[in-house]
Amino acid sequence: MTLKDAHVRIELRSDPIYLAGARQLVAAVAQRLGFDDAACSQIALAVDEALCNVIRHGYEQQRDQPIWISLRPEQPDPPMGLRVVIEDEGRQVEPGQIRGRDLEDIRPGGLGVHIIREVMDEVAYEKRDGRGMRLTLVKHAAGSPAGEE
Amino acid sequence: MAEAHGVERQGDAVVVTPTTDVDMSRSPELRQALREAFGSGAKRVVVDLGRVQYMDSSGLATLVEAMRTSRSSKVELVLCCLQAKVKSIFDIARLASFFDIRDSRDDAIGGSAA
């Protein structure tokens, strides 16, 4: 998603106090695009987990760094489904190395990536040009052929 | 910022009641409250999640850490009153069976192990 393609785009600082606001925005947009309460909560959870990972791992808890969240419907007319892109300027990692931990290994931490992959239909990490990472999350509309897979 | 949790003693139990979302910004306060509860001499620590509308993996990690403390210190940890949205994250993380979860606060305070 390019800047021009985004229907909603916000920039926030990498401070956990803004997570609640980001969740509320994403859930409200998802609701307007036809997702039910449970799906809105799941999408907001996935975005929250992604932001936490940027703050924790990308920026190593620095609270004054930029994060961008872009939203647009996955299907334009009528607008349905949701594509979320989260970008940062933090530490780059090889996308193939980003994995959720084994759930049999019960210990604090490491659940975020598992939760993101569990609740979203498409999850793609990539390095941005220069610095930072880009995470693309897609939730298909309920009832769409892709959403019924 | 509003107080993120209440703490009260009820018999042999200490009840910790978070009153806000438990996310990355709030879980350190819950972690500290639980550490104090485990160090209070109580035989059981109850976490009443009835007022929590939202929890992320930071909150889950805090509770997993508390369960480990519970096992090493022989102080029981019981969760209660989970709202459906909060329960769902335990299910997504497949952690529901890792915890002793009760429907009511009374059961959590006084009940024997399930």
Side-chain angles (χ1 to χ4, degrees):
Chain A
M1 191 188 315
T2 66
L3 183 57
K4 233 169 70 176
D5 294 333
H7 290 202
V8 177
R9 182 172 169 92
I10 62 166
E11 176 178 334
L12 65 154
R13 281 188 165 206
S14 54
D15 190 322
I17 67 167
Y18 301 119
L19 292 172
R23 287 197 300 271
Q24 287 166 13
L25 170 72
V26 170
V29 171
Q31 185 181 44
R32 191 64 188 84
L33 292 173
F35 289 101
D36 64 21
D37 280 354
C40 291
S41 298
Q42 290 187 344
I43 295 165
L45 174 63
V47 171
D48 177 294
E49 297 292 349
L51 295 174
C52 287
N53 283 341
V54 170
I55 295 169
R56 191 177 288 123
H57 304 298
Y59 288 132
E60 297 175 335
Q61 309 279 3
Q62 292 178 83
R63 297 187 173 210
D64 57 354
Q65 301 299 306
I67 304 174
W68 297 273
I69 305 173
S70 303
L71 307 172
R72 74 152 206 237
E74 181 60 2
Q75 173 189 315
D77 190 21
M80 293 172 69
L82 182 62
R83 176 175 292 258
V84 183
V85 177
I86 296 169
E87 296 168 283
D88 64 75
E89 294 183 338
R91 184 171 62 89
Q92 291 189 321
V93 294
E94 290 302 326
Q97 292 180 343
I98 302 172
R99 296 191 205 98
R101 70 165 164 76
D102 182 355
L103 293 183
E104 301 303 313
D105 174 21
I106 295 175
R107 58 178 166 77
L111 284 168
V113 174
H114 165 78
I115 289 171
I116 292 167
R117 292 192 188 281
E118 189 80 10
V119 303
M120 300 302 286
D121 296 315
E122 296 178 26
V123 178
Y125 291 92
E126 60 189 312
K127 290 180 180 176
R128 297 175 74 217
D129 290 339
R131 57 184 174 170
M133 298 295 292
R134 177 182 298 111
L135 169 61
T136 301
L137 306 172
V138 174
K139 186 78 168 174
H140 298 303
S144 72
E148 288 175 342
E149 280 170 8
Chain B
M1 200 178 281
E3 188 69 31
H5 56 264
V7 179
E8 57 187 296
R9 184 95 188 203
Q10 293 205 358
D12 288 335
V14 168
V15 183
V16 178
T17 307
T19 56
T20 65
D21 292 352
V22 183
D23 64 7
M24 190 182 185
S25 70
R26 292 294 199 172
S27 55
E29 294 164 71
L30 178 59
R31 181 177 294 113
Q32 182 60 31
L34 289 170
R35 279 188 187 144
E36 290 171 11
F38 278 106
S40 68
K43 292 181 178 172
R44 174 175 291 205
V45 172
V46 173
V47 184
D48 181 344
L49 294 169
R51 295 171 68 180
V52 176
Q53 305 284 335
Y54 178 85
M55 179 181 289
D56 69 8
S57 67
S58 305
L60 279 181
T62 300
L63 295 174
V64 168
E65 186 182 307
M67 181 55 93
R68 290 187 157 191
T69 303
S70 163
R71 289 176 176 174
S72 63
S73 64
K74 312 289 186 201
V75 176
E76 290 179 83
L77 173 68
V78 185
L79 313 183
C80 71
C81 313
L82 277 64
Q83 304 217 18
K85 285 179 184 174
V86 172
K87 175 68 167 50
S88 72
I89 187 177
F90 282 77
D91 294 334
I92 290 167
R94 295 174 210 157
L95 281 171
S97 61
F98 179 66
F99 292 99
D100 183 355
I101 299 175
R102 309 298 179 93
D103 290 337
S104 78
R105 183 180 173 120
D106 285 347
D107 190 21
I109 293 169
S112 56

